[in-house]
């Protein structure tokens, strides 16, 4: 199962989960909920459930082990990608703050060096 951000537009395609697996382009990145309440991309969960029919491991929720039938899952309709956008903004702010902190640390080092030279 993928660990990408749960958005309806996330590109979580990989060799073991081809986009054609769902057969329905509308479901490729559709977010669904299992009966146990865990959220997945439809295509990713379907790929997980279809991996190995000889093992009971793949008939279960990857998070909690509750039995899962893809037909018993509910589609989730987020109002938009506001949470993803907010997360991306927060990540950019943290990166900018880290750069500013590095610049400030460098400035402090330079001032300390100058102070040593003066004495």
């Amino acid at each position: 199962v993928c660990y990408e951000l749960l958005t309806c537009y996330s590109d979580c395609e990989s060799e073991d989960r081809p986009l054609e697996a769902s057969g329905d382009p509308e479901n490729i990145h559709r977010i669904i909920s299992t009966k146990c309440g865990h959220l997945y991309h439809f295509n990713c969960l379907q790929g997980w459930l279809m991996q190995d029919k000889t093992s009971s491991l793949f008939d279960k929720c990857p998070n909690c082990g509750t039995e899962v039938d893809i037909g018993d899952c509910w589609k989730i309709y987020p109002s938009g990608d506001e949470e993803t956008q907010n997360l991306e903004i927060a990540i950019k702010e943290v990166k900018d703050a880290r750069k500013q902190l590095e610049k400030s640390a460098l400035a402090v080092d330079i001032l300390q060096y100058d102070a040593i030279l003066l004495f």
Side-chain angles (χ1 to χ4, degrees):
V1 173
C2 83
Y3 292 100
E4 299 291 327
L5 288 175
L6 286 175
T7 67
C8 287
Y9 311 103
S10 176
D11 181 10
C12 55
E13 177 184 7
S14 72
E15 291 178 17
D16 59 333
R17 288 185 307 276
L19 290 175
E20 297 80 29
S22 74
D24 182 357
E26 291 295 316
N27 286 328
I28 290 171
H29 297 299
R30 172 72 56 207
I31 300 170
I32 60 171
S33 173
T34 59
K35 286 198 290 188
C36 55
H38 291 105
L39 302 176
Y40 301 97
H41 292 113
F42 173 88
N43 198 44
C44 299
L45 183 61
Q46 183 183 46
W48 167 264
L49 295 173
M50 295 174 69
Q51 279 187 35
D52 185 358
K53 289 300 179 187
T54 62
S55 170
S56 62
L57 171 68
F58 296 109
D59 292 336
K60 298 182 179 179
C61 174
N63 279 320
C64 68
T66 301
E67 285 194 29
V68 174
D69 180 344
I70 198 78
D72 292 335
C73 295
W74 298 279
K75 290 181 181 179
I76 304 297
Y77 299 95
S79 60
D81 278 341
E82 293 176 22
E83 293 301 318
T84 301
Q85 290 172 355
N86 291 341
L87 180 60
E88 289 171 355
I89 290 169
I91 289 170
K92 183 182 180 320
E93 289 174 354
V94 167
K95 286 180 180 179
D96 290 346
R98 185 174 290 152
K99 285 180 185 176
Q100 186 60 39
L101 183 61
E102 289 170 359
K103 287 179 184 178
S104 297
L106 181 60
V108 168
D109 288 346
I110 291 170
L111 289 172
Q112 287 176 338
Y113 180 74
D114 288 346
I116 290 171
L117 292 176
L118 288 174
F119 296 104

